[in-house]
């Protein structure tokens, strides 16, 4: 059993081993602490001089990393919490993602900004948000969200070594202890993996199920809840659905098209329910539904979104659970749609 | 006798209700002193050493290194003596009515199956069993229960006629003229049991096939003509064969079939038809009243020659093709499968698979 956290750690170690230009900058990185969630554990012992524990200054961390990237290194930035990504917005939006175009294609900025995101930990309003939706519309920025259906560490390694443009790497913190799924755990499912522009898209359906009448789409930790809902919808309610799990959130296909795997699933079912942990309005799911509507027109029979309440994330566990989408929410909404 | 100390997994971090057991320093039976390290637990934010609260012997330890443990769950006991046994866990309630191995059935389907006493062992493995399937099986079961198998069906020469329409009447009369069989009854999915076709009673619909077969009935005649859609006639053949029935051929006494002609199973030859030398007739073909099949013709399975149609020598007719009344087909013509030749047409050259020749037309036009 490999946890997502272990896989990510392995990915970091692999990137460091393969390329001496890889550096890591962030707060509290040095062993034995190894970073706030311990993804970076062991790196500073094995690669002294290439892991820099920094003062609490996210903008400075990111700015220094940008300079390193411009000078030919491959820096990785660790933001302790995704909520602090707002402090790097100027670096990210006005510098890192603009330099290639502003300098007429003469420079690249190979930088990976890793950060834990999401709630369900009782960390309260300023440490539990799901803010990647703020960065989905930034041209030149790739946003990746690992899941348990393929190796998150390999995704991270490739993002660091094979990607010359900036990557915002969103690690849902509830996924950290979850196991990367194996064939045994997924034996009840047929899984189709299609290669997106950079990262895989997974389509799951139950083996032996009748033709699907609903498509669920979710990423990150929401994919875990959606997978559970897939099984319960089938066996408790005879609603047979497919689940499409993207790994890359942005950029989406050029020209406003749907991800091919999602388009194919919708051709089969005609109905789409997106599930995300960001707040309801102006988010990832809204874009999926807009594109689905454009692509399918009247063949899109029903379309709904599930997302977090539009309010600060409560610190009280019961209230936090109520504010975020649950399996029960998915079941209820799906039953209204079919 | 001092009591054992119960050691639970602590809540290390109020934000995380689980911790990973990253190091296990003891095993069952080991002696520990107060303050000894039992294990190291870790959450994403902190590391915690679990210390022995008393002197004694480790007992009831079940966790393995690397395992995720929930805060509050029993970790181990520190017992006063090495032979102390932890309280026995209550035996897990045996799952009532366990499902057969590999069966994947929805809850609504399971409830319905239990209501109708459908044995779970009879359900298919692989596809997810749905309520619709159970409903169908329940209806079949109810239908089968209500079916009265006629006594005549138990005779060795008993035969059933599937299809109670106009063609069904013709087949019944053909059966009686040909002789040698006992008509047990009619199967018809759209007629009520007891309804009469000529003087033969309808037994029931398709659901009657299984109890009839179980009673020993082995012979069946397909009396669905397929004029409107050949697929319905073919479907009946498939149902009868799947249910284990054999399909006798019938030849009306006034028909002429040359000794060298070969007829497959289930061919029906109606009054005043002629089948010529070395002709070969495929399974389930209908050679209707006054039709002429000349020498060396070959008819594939399920072809239907309507009354008065004429095939010259060496004509080939494909599977499931309908040749209308009064059609004339020239020497050596090949007609493809699932074609339709309209009444009164004259066919002078080959017709492709699925071809349609309009009534009264001369083909090619």
């Amino acid at each position: 059993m490999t946890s997502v956290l272990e896989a990510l750690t392995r990915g970091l170690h692999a990137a460091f081993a393969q390329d001496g230009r890889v550096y890591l900058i962030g707060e509290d990185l040095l062993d034995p602490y190894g970073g706030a969630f311990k993804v970076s554990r062991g790196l500073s012992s094995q690669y002294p001089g290439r892991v820099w524990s920094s003062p609490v200054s996210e903008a400075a961390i990111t700015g220094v990393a940008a300079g390193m990237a411009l000078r030919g290194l491959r820096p990785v930035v660790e933001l302790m919490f995704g909520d602090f990504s707002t402090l790097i917005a100027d670096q990210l939006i006005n510098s890192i993602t603009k330099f290639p175009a502003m300098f007429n294609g003469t420079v690249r900025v190979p930088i990976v900004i890793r950060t834990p995101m999401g709630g369900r930990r009782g960390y309260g309003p300023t440490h539990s948000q799901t803010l990647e939706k703020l960065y989905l519309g930034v041209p030149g920025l790739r946003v990746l969200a690992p899941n348990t259906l393929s190796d998150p560490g390999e995704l991270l390694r490739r993002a660091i070594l094979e990607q010359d443009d900036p990557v915002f790497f969103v690690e849902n913190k509830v996924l950290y202890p979850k196991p990367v799924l194996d064939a045994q755990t997924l034996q009840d499912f047929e899984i189709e993996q299609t290669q997106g522009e950079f990262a895989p898209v997974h389509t799951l359906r139950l083996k032996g199920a009748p033709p699907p009448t609903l498509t669920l789409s979710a990423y990150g930790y929401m994919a875990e809840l959606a997978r559970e809902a897939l099984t319960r919808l089938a066996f408790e309610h005879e609603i047979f659905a497919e689940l499409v799990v993207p790994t890359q959130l942005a950029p989406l296909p050029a020209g406003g098209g749907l991800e091919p795997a999602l388009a194919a699933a919708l051709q089969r079912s005609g109905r789409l329910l997106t599930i995300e942990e960001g707040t309801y309005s102006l988010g990832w799911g809204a874009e999926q539904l807009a594109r689905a509507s454009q692509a399918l027109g009247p063949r899109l029979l029903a379309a709904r979104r599930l997302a977090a309440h539009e309010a600060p994330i409560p610190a009280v566990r019961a209230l936090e659970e109520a504010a975020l989408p649950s399996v029960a929410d998915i079941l209820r909404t799906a039953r209204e749609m079919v | 006798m001092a009591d054992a100390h119960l050691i639970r997994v602590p809540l290390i971090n109020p934000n995380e209700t689980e911790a990973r057991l990253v190091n296990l320093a003891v095993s069952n039976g080991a002696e520990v002193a107060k303050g000894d390290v039992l294990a190291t637990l870790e959450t994403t934010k902190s590391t915690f050493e679990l210390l022995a609260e008393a002197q004694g012997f480790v007992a009831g330890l079940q966790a393995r290194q690397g395992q995720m443990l929930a805060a509050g769950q029993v970790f181990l006991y520190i017992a006063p003596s090495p032979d102390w046994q932890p309280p026995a866990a209550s035996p897990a309630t045996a799952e009532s009515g366990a499902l057969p191995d590999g069966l994947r059935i929805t809850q609504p389907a399971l409830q319905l199956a239990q209501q109708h006493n459908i044995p779970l062992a009879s359900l298919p493995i692989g596809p997810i069993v749905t309520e619709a399937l159970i409903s169908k099986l329940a209806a079949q079961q109810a239908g089968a229960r209500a079916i009265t198998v006629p006594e005549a069906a138990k005779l060795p020469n008993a035969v059933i006629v599937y299809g109670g329409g106009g063609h069904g009447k013709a087949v019944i009369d053909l059966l009686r003229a040909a002789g040698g069989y006992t008509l047990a009854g009619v199967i018809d999915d759209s007629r009520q049991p007891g309804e009469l076709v000529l003087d033969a009673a309808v037994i029931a619909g398709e659901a009657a096939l299984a109890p009839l077969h179980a009673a020993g009935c082995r012979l069946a005649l397909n009396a669905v003509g397929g004029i409107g859609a050949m697929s319905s006639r073919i479907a009946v053949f498939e149902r009868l064969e799947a249910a284990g029935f054999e399909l006798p051929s019938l030849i009306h006494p006034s028909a002429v079939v040359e000794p060298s002609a070969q007829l497959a199973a289930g061919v029906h030859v109606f009054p005043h038809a002629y089948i010529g030398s070395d002709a070969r007739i495929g399974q389930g073909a209908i050679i209707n009243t006054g039709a002429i099949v000349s020498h060396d013709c070959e008819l594939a399975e399920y072809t239907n020659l309507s009354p008065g149609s004429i095939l010259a020598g060496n004509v080939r007719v494909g599977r499931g093709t309908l040749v209308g009344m009064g059609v004339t087909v020239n020497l050596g013509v090949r007609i493809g499968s699932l074609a339709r030749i309209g009444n009164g047409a004259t066919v002078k050259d080959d017709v492709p698979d699925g071809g349609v020749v309009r009534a009264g037309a001369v083909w090619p036009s």
Side-chain angles (χ1 to χ4, degrees):
Chain A
M1 202 277 300
T2 302
S3 68
V4 168
L5 191 147
E6 286 163 344
L8 291 169
T9 302
R10 248 180 243 158
L12 275 175
H13 278 261
F16 268 73
Q18 277 185 251
D19 195 322
R21 297 173 296 168
V22 178
Y23 285 74
L24 179 65
I25 316 177
E27 297 150 9
D28 291 337
L29 294 181
L30 300 186
D31 290 328
Y33 194 62
F37 291 90
K38 306 199 191 307
V39 175
S40 311
R41 190 215 317 256
L43 277 176
S44 68
S45 305
Q46 195 155 342
Y47 303 98
R50 289 168 61 193
V51 176
W52 301 348
S53 208
S54 72
V56 179
S57 182
E58 283 77 8
I61 295 165
T62 310
V64 167
M68 295 167 71
L70 288 170
R71 295 298 299 264
L73 301 177
R74 306 191 82 89
V76 180
V77 168
E78 179 173 301
L79 302 180
M80 185 176 284
F81 282 91
D83 311 66
F84 305 150
S85 65
T86 54
L87 299 170
I88 70 165
D90 182 54
Q91 293 287 351
L92 189 60
I93 297 171
N94 291 327
S95 298
I96 291 169
T97 54
K98 298 293 191 287
F99 285 158
M102 289 168 68
F103 296 129
N104 200 28
T106 58
V107 301
R108 301 298 283 273
V109 191
I111 183 172
V112 172
I113 298 166
R114 290 182 41 238
T115 188
M117 198 71 87
R120 293 176 219 269
R121 276 274 177 256
Y123 291 158
T126 59
H127 291 71
S128 308
Q129 297 171 93
T130 296
L131 295 178
E132 55 266 20
K133 68 178 197 173
L134 300 182
Y135 309 109
L136 296 184
V138 181
L141 182 65
R142 191 180 305 278
V143 181
L144 299 176
N147 51 64
T148 58
L149 294 163
S150 55
D151 184 354
E154 174 61 9
L155 180 71
L156 179 56
R157 187 196 68 82
R158 288 182 54 232
I160 296 167
L161 297 183
E162 297 176 16
Q163 192 54 232
D164 285 343
D165 294 321
V167 171
F168 192 70
F169 198 90
V170 180
E171 299 166 8
N172 184 285
K173 53 176 82 81
V174 173
L175 275 184
Y176 280 144
K178 299 292 183 190
V180 179
L181 300 173
D182 55 17
Q184 173 71 19
T185 307
L186 291 164
Q187 64 180 344
D188 223 25
F189 295 95
E190 281 168 13
I191 301 178
E192 217 173 293
Q193 180 172 307
T194 58
Q195 189 60 25
E197 187 212 336
F198 177 76
V201 182
H202 307 278
T203 304
L204 283 77
R205 63 184 78 88
L206 282 163
K207 285 176 179 171
T213 53
L214 174 66
T215 300
L216 308 177
S217 188
Y219 66 89
Y221 177 62
M222 292 301 101
E224 303 289 292
L225 301 192
R227 185 165 55 85
E228 182 185 336
L230 206 70
T231 301
R232 290 184 58 184
L233 282 170
F235 284 98
E236 294 172 23
H237 305 291
E238 292 206 350
I239 294 174
F240 299 101
E242 284 179 318
L243 168 61
V244 178
V245 181
T247 308
Q248 174 168 305
L249 306 186
L252 289 172
L258 273 177
E259 190 71 51
L262 182 56
L266 286 175
Q267 290 288 344
R268 294 188 280 272
S269 75
R271 295 179 182 86
L272 174 59
L273 171 59
T274 65
I275 307 136
E276 68 198 291
E277 202 176 306
T279 50
Y280 188 73
S281 296
L282 298 149
W284 171 81
E287 180 67 17
Q288 306 309 305
L289 264 58
R291 289 174 178 239
S293 177
Q294 285 173 209
L296 275 75
R299 285 174 293 130
L300 185 60
L301 308 173
R304 296 277 294 271
R305 290 174 293 149
L306 274 177
H309 292 178
E310 308 206 86
I313 306 289
V316 174
R317 175 166 290 275
L319 294 180
E320 180 175 33
E321 291 293 334
L324 301 174
S326 66
V327 173
D329 293 329
I330 300 173
L331 300 183
R332 187 186 59 252
T333 307
R335 294 174 72 194
E336 289 166 5
M337 294 175 72
V338 174
Chain B
M1 162 77 67
D3 274 340
H5 281 82
L6 170 61
I7 306 289
R8 293 185 186 273
V9 177
L11 183 68
I12 296 165
N13 177 348
N15 304 115
E16 290 179 59
T17 56
E18 280 183 323
R20 185 182 302 277
L21 179 56
V22 297
N23 182 57
L24 191 52
V26 294
S27 56
N28 280 313
E31 184 171 14
V32 295
K34 184 173 178 177
D36 279 358
V37 176
L38 299 171
T40 306
L41 300 168
E42 187 177 83
T43 66
T44 56
K45 286 280 228 168
S46 53
T47 301
F48 184 90
E49 284 187 334
L50 194 56
L51 307 182
E53 293 171 9
Q55 178 270 332
F57 299 89
V58 173
L61 171 62
Q62 296 185 58
R64 298 174 308 280
Q65 191 158 296
Q67 190 179 336
M68 292 293 290
L69 305 174
Q73 88 178 59
V74 173
F75 184 57
L76 55 77
Y77 296 85
I78 301 181
S81 67
D83 55 357
W84 183 91
Q85 291 298 315
S90 56
T93 49
E95 196 170 329
S96 63
L99 298 183
D101 258 9
L103 177 66
R104 294 160 76 234
I105 183 169
T106 66
Q107 284 174 22
L110 182 59
Q111 285 167 22
L112 196 60
Q114 285 162 350
Q115 283 171 33
H116 291 276
N117 290 307
I118 291 173
L120 300 183
S122 70
L123 298 174
I125 302 294
I128 293 177
V129 175
T130 61
E131 192 175 27
L133 176 60
I134 301 297
S135 291
K136 186 179 168 191
L137 293 177
Q140 285 176 11
Q141 185 173 270
R145 208 179 288 121
I147 289 160
T148 305
V149 173
E151 283 304 306
K154 300 169 187 178
L155 297 174
N157 67 343
V159 63
I160 54 172
V161 170
Y162 197 126
H167 190 64
K169 296 179 181 179
V171 168
I172 289 170
D173 280 339
L174 171 61
L175 173 71
R176 288 171 170 161
Y181 298 98
T182 300
L183 177 58
V186 175
I187 303 297
D188 194 292
D189 293 304
S190 57
R191 285 177 165 78
Q192 292 304 311
E195 196 174 324
L196 293 180
V197 181
L198 299 180
D199 61 345
V202 172
I203 299 170
E206 179 190 351
L209 294 181
L212 282 162
H213 192 272
C217 185
R218 290 293 181 271
L219 304 174
L221 305 175
N222 183 351
V224 172
I227 302 301
M230 191 57 69
S231 56
S232 59
R233 175 171 173 81
I234 296 173
V236 169
F237 278 116
E238 287 165 355
R239 263 175 236 155
L240 292 171
E241 285 165 357
F245 285 88
E246 291 166 37
L247 309 163
S249 286
L250 300 176
I251 302 172
H252 195 279
S254 67
V256 176
V257 179
E258 298 295 358
S260 56
Q262 298 175 48
L263 273 59
V267 172
H268 298 169
V269 185
F270 282 86
H272 302 297
Y274 173 76
I275 302 182
S277 306
D278 268 344
R280 259 168 289 204
I281 315 300
Q283 171 176 299
I286 297 173
I287 317 300
N288 217 318
T289 311
I292 296 173
V293 180
S294 298
H295 62 88
D296 298 295
C297 284
E298 284 185 28
L299 275 56
E301 302 93 334
Y302 315 130
T303 52
N304 187 335
L305 300 195
S306 298
S309 52
I310 302 172
L311 308 186
N314 285 110
V315 167
R316 303 283 189 275
V317 182
R319 183 182 196 268
T321 285
L322 172 66
V323 179
M325 291 185 292
V327 168
T328 301
V329 181
N330 276 22
L331 191 70
V333 164
R334 303 300 191 253
I335 302 179
S337 59
L338 294 172
R340 296 178 68 89
I341 317 299
N343 295 338
T346 301
V347 181
K348 297 184 168 182
D349 206 340
D350 295 354
V351 180
D353 290 344
V356 175
V357 179
R358 280 179 301 102
V362 178
W363 174 279
S365 52

